[in-house]
């Protein structure tokens, strides 16, 4: 089967690419480079990608949501506003597109025409005004300091909840908008901020619903699953980095045709967020693991590593 893989880069000029991966042959092919928006952010690029319908995909980068033509991958339409900041995953259902707006600490709800219907803000008014004005403290070199003069939609800011994966639960489960929260290490109801899952020992990143279970990865490569009912009670299935040859920041999850695909991204700085790492950062890689769903054995590692610091957030099955 073929996967479509969005790739961006830590180093050099910001750019966003769409690649095709033939999982049988292991071949990779660059399909398209996304045109610049004029709102680029250093070290950032395309993150979320999903099928919108049979003719279009929808994607996001740091501060833009855009619709792509299936055949040409050209941008058909796009949405931008000044509160989009560090967009992570997006999820498409029959009626809506839900986007994890991590830097704004919100879940943004769009219709299929990319019109913003609701911004579920998970900050109170005072917290949002301080975030927007740059009234916060930073440590290290990653975040842009207060007073840097960079507009909010291009500024790298510390967040509170750090939402990654988002989805709308079906009606029989209550219809809540649910998101993985890096800060709380569990899944939250975006409207109430109440936990709707058991807590995980390491920060969760991505989720995928498959055959009656919700599967979740942690950034440290642990894979959990829970029956698809609330509250989600997660049990670990496998600790990937105990059996896999390469480690990295784990994000991107897909289950299809008897295989599980798990993305990892190279790590370039040791922080408290990487205290689980058991190898030198120089040995971390960017790529996609392919696991057999029946045995949970690693069948292949599709290497996307690059001297420019390739970043993988997700992957989807081609149609």
């Amino acid at each position: 089967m073929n996967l479509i893989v969005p790739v961006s880069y830590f180093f050099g000029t910001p750019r966003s690419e769409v690649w095709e991966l033939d999982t049988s042959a292991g071949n990779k092919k660059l399909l398209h480079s996304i045109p610049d928006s004029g709102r680029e952010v250093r070290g950032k690029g395309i993150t979320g990608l999903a099928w919108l319908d049979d003719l279009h995909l929808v994607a996001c980068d740091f501060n833009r949501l855009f619709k792509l033509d299936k055949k040409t991958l050209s941008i058909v339409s796009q949405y931008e506003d000044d509160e989009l900041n560090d967009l992570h995953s997006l999820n498409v259902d029959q009626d809506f597109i839900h986007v994890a707006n991590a830097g704004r600490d919100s879940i943004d709800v769009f219709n299929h025409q990319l019109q913003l219907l609701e911004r579920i803000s998970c900050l109170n008014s005072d917290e949002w005004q301080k975030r927007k004005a740059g009234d916060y403290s930073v440590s290290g070199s990653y975040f842009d300091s207060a007073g840097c003069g960079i507009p909010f939609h291009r500024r790298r800011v510390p967040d509170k909840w750090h939402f990654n994966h988002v989805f709308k639960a079906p009606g029989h489960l209550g219809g809540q908008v649910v998101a993985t929260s890096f800060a709380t290490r569990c899944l939250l109801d975006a409207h109430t901020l109440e936990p709707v899952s058991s807590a995980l020992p390491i920060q969760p990143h991505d989720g995928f619903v498959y055959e009656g279970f919700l599967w979740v990865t942690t950034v440290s490569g642990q894979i959990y699953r829970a029956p698809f009912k609330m509250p989600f009670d997660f049990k670990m299935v496998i600790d990937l980095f105990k059996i896999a040859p390469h480690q990295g920041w784990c994000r991107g999850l897909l289950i299809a045709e008897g295989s599980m695909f798990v993305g990892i991204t190279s790590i370039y700085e040791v922080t408290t967020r990487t205290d689980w790492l058991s190898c030198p950062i120089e040995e971390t890689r960017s790529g996609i693991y392919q696991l057999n769903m029946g045995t949970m054995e690693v069948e292949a590692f599709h290497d996307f590593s690059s001297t420019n610091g390739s970043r993988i957030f997700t992957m989807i099955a081609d149609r």
Side-chain angles (χ1 to χ4, degrees), residues 30-72:
L30 176 62
L31 297 178
H32 190 65
S33 295
I34 305 296
D36 295 342
S37 66
R39 294 158 57 97
E40 294 80 26
V41 176
R42 176 174 53 88
K44 301 293 184 178
I46 189 169
T47 51
L49 182 70
W51 286 102
L52 186 60
D53 52 46
D54 290 337
L55 299 177
H56 302 95
L57 301 103
V58 62
C60 59
D61 58 21
F62 190 87
N63 51 31
R64 171 177 55 158
L65 181 69
F66 48 98
K67 180 178 175 180
L68 298 171
D69 178 87
K70 173 185 176 179
K71 292 183 178 180
T72 65

Side-chain angles (χ1 to χ4, degrees), residues 91 93 96 98 166-171 174-178 191 228 230:
N91 189 284
D93 59 30
F96 305 109
H98 291 84
V166 58
F167 65 94
K168 184 176 175 63
Q176 300 98 322
V177 176
V178 176
H191 282 101
F228 197 58
M230 292 190 193

Side-chain angles (χ1 to χ4, degrees), residues 45 100 166 201 267 313:
V166 58
I267 295 170
F313 268 80

Side-chain angles (χ1 to χ4, degrees), residues 10-304:
F10 282 110
F11 308 120
T13 302
R15 66 188 192 276
S16 298
E17 299 172 345
V18 180
W19 288 71
E20 178 185 75
L21 169 63
D22 181 336
T23 62
S24 298
N27 298 326
K28 301 182 292 291
K29 179 173 68 174
L30 176 62
L31 297 178
H32 190 65
S33 295
I34 305 296
D36 295 342
S37 66
R39 294 158 57 97
E40 294 80 26
V41 176
R42 176 174 53 88
K44 301 293 184 178
I46 189 169
T47 51
L49 182 70
W51 286 102
L52 186 60
D53 52 46
D54 290 337
L55 299 177
H56 302 95
L57 301 103
V58 62
C60 59
D61 58 21
F62 190 87
N63 51 31
R64 171 177 55 158
L65 181 69
F66 48 98
K67 180 178 175 180
L68 298 171
D69 178 87
K70 173 185 176 179
K71 292 183 178 180
T72 65
L73 293 177
S74 58
I75 296 177
V76 176
S77 60
Q78 63 183 24
Y79 176 87
E80 298 173 349
D81 73 35
D82 292 341
E83 294 185 25
L84 298 180
N85 183 298
D86 199 15
L87 305 184
H88 275 51
S89 79
L90 53 81
N91 189 284
V92 177
D93 59 30
Q94 183 176 352
D95 300 307
F96 305 109
I97 305 167
H98 291 84
V99 181
N101 188 352
R104 174 62 176 84
D105 274 310
S106 69
I107 303 299
D108 296 350
V109 186
F110 297 83
N111 61 19
H112 286 201
Q113 290 71 50
L114 308 195
Q115 296 170 316
L116 180 64
L117 303 178
E118 180 183 12
R119 174 160 284 141
I120 306 171
S121 179
C122 299
L123 300 175
N124 62 40
S125 178
D126 184 57
E127 288 173 326
W128 162 232
Q129 290 305 318
K130 287 182 176 180
R131 176 83 54 85
K132 184 178 181 181
D135 183 8
Y136 48 76
S137 59
V138 299
S139 60
S141 60
Y142 177 79
F143 298 116
D144 295 313
S145 61
C148 64
I150 300 173
F152 178 75
H153 66 271
R154 296 184 60 211
R155 196 187 320 147
R156 298 185 299 181
V157 300
D159 51 49
K160 180 177 181 179
W161 302 103
H162 197 93
F163 298 122
N164 293 311
H165 176 74
V166 58
F167 65 94
K168 184 176 175 63
H172 70 274
L173 292 184
Q176 300 98 322
V177 176
V178 176
T180 60
S181 168
F182 197 95
T184 64
R185 300 187 180 186
C186 66
L187 278 66
L188 299 179
D189 180 323
H191 282 101
T192 67
L193 297 177
E194 292 296 321
V196 293
S197 79
S198 55
L200 297 167
I202 302 291
Q203 296 91 339
H205 206 285
D206 290 287
F208 195 88
V209 178
Y210 179 75
E211 292 190 347
F213 288 89
L214 174 61
W215 296 73
V216 167
T217 57
T218 67
V219 295
S220 59
Q222 296 170 337
I223 300 169
Y224 291 81
R225 76 174 189 177
F228 197 58
K229 59 182 181 180
M230 292 190 193
F232 300 109
D233 184 17
F234 288 108
K235 305 296 182 185
M236 189 169 70
V237 176
I238 190 172
D239 192 340
L240 181 60
F241 296 154
K242 288 187 183 284
I243 64 166
H246 310 293
Q247 298 182 40
W249 191 259
C250 184
R251 58 190 175 200
L253 175 64
L254 170 69
I255 302 173
E257 297 188 8
S259 293
M260 173 181 288
F261 300 93
V262 181
I264 63 171
T265 291
S266 299
I267 295 170
Y268 294 97
E269 182 181 8
V270 174
T271 69
T272 55
R273 290 185 172 189
T274 60
D275 55 9
W276 48 265
L277 189 65
S278 60
C279 73
I281 59 173
E282 294 79 13
E283 296 179 8
T284 60
R285 309 292 288 175
S286 294
I288 297 173
Y289 278 109
Q290 181 174 342
L291 284 73
N292 183 295
M293 278 295 292
T295 64
M296 283 293 136
E297 294 179 346
V298 175
E299 296 181 323
F301 178 67
H302 306 286
D303 200 339
F304 278 81

